Amino acid sequence: MNVNFENRVLELVEGDITEMETDAIVNAANAQLVLGGGVAGAIRRKGGPAIQAECKKIGGTFVGGAVITGGGNLKAKYVIHAVGPRMGEGNEDEKLTNATLNSLKLADDNKLKSISFPAISTGIFGFPIQRCAEIMLEATINYLTGPTGLEKVVFCLFGHSDYQVFAKQLEQETSK
Ligand code: ADP
C-alpha cells in the first residue's frame, strides 16, 4: 500500500526489514544499544559484527532517542537505532512518538532519501500493535507534510496481521 504526500511516499510492506533496500533501516533498539533478539537479532546476524561494534563505541542513548551506524553487510547503507518504550514504564506514547521523529530527523541530518521502520516496541517490549500504528503513522505523516529531504518512508511489518493493522490505520488517517 502506497500513499503520496506531495512528492513523498509512505509505503507499507509485509516482510523482513533486513531485506529492505532503503538508505537506512531502523532497529528497534534498547537504551544500551545491545543487539539482542527480534529485529536487532536479525540485523546482527545479517549485518555482521561491525554494527554492534559501532553501537558499543556510541555506548547508549535515551528512551525515545535514535543513533546512526553503518549497515555492515546489509543492503541498507545505514542502521538507525531507535529506542522505543517498554510497556509499563510510563509515558509510552510520547516516547514512541519521539523515537519515530528522532529517527526521521537523523535520516534528514544525514541527507538520506529513504528509510524503513519496523513496528517499534511491539515485540519484546510489549506495546500494542494498534496503538503503535496510530502513533508511528501520525508522527510520520506530520513529518512528511513538513520540510524534509526524505522521499520515501516504508513501514515493514512482520506478518500479515500486523500489516493489516497498519493498512487499516493508514486508510483512516488519509481519509480524514
Ligand atoms: P521491541 O523490543 O522494540 O519490542 P522487537 O524487535 O522485539 O522490538 O519487535 C518489534 C517488532 O518487529 C515486532 O512487531 C516484531 O514482530 C517485528 N520483527 C521482528 N523481526 C523482524 C524483522 N526481521 N523484520 C521486520 N520486523 C520484525
Side-chain angles (χ1 to χ4, degrees):
M1 178 179 181
N2 278 6
V3 178
N4 285 289
F5 299 94
E6 292 154 42
N7 55 345
R8 299 155 190 162
V9 61
L10 197 168
E11 189 177 330
L12 302 185
V13 300
E14 183 188 334
D16 177 353
I17 199 165
T18 62
E19 291 298 316
M20 298 301 298
E21 296 184 7
T22 44
D23 294 338
I25 64 170
V26 175
N27 175 26
N30 52 45
Q32 297 75 34
L33 303 177
V34 172
L35 305 175
V39 175
I43 288 174
R44 177 169 43 78
R45 284 189 296 276
K46 214 171 278 181
I51 302 172
Q52 180 66 81
E54 243 187 286
C55 281
K56 201 171 171 193
K57 263 191 205 153
I58 297 167
T61 188
F62 59 96
V63 181
V67 304
I68 190 166
T69 67
N73 304 326
L74 295 170
K75 293 171 182 168
K77 202 167 171 204
Y78 299 95
V79 176
I80 290 177
H81 304 263
V83 184
R86 203 180 280 270
M87 199 56 194
E89 70 180 24
N91 283 337
E92 293 93 349
D93 292 6
E94 192 189 337
K95 289 169 178 171
L96 186 55
T97 300
N98 290 342
T100 308
L101 291 177
N102 282 324
S103 298
L104 293 164
K105 281 181 198 146
L106 198 50
D108 256 332
D109 290 346
N110 286 274
K111 305 202 164 14
L112 308 187
K113 298 292 176 204
S114 58
I115 180 172
S116 299
F117 280 99
I120 295 174
S121 288
T122 64
I124 298 159
F125 281 2
F127 196 80
I129 187 79
Q130 172 63 37
R131 191 81 191 114
C132 173
E134 290 166 18
I135 290 169
M136 291 193 75
L137 288 173
E138 193 189 342
T140 301
I141 291 167
N142 285 340
Y143 192 86
L144 284 180
T145 50
T148 172
L150 278 169
E151 291 168 2
K152 182 161 94 165
V153 178
V154 182
F155 282 86
C156 180
L157 290 318
F158 208 49
H160 192 62
S161 75
D162 286 2
Y163 176 87
Q164 285 297 335
V165 171
F166 268 71
K168 221 171 145 193
Q169 186 60 32
L170 183 55
E171 269 164 27
Q172 206 168 310
E173 288 285 340
T174 50
S175 64
K176 273 180 188 170

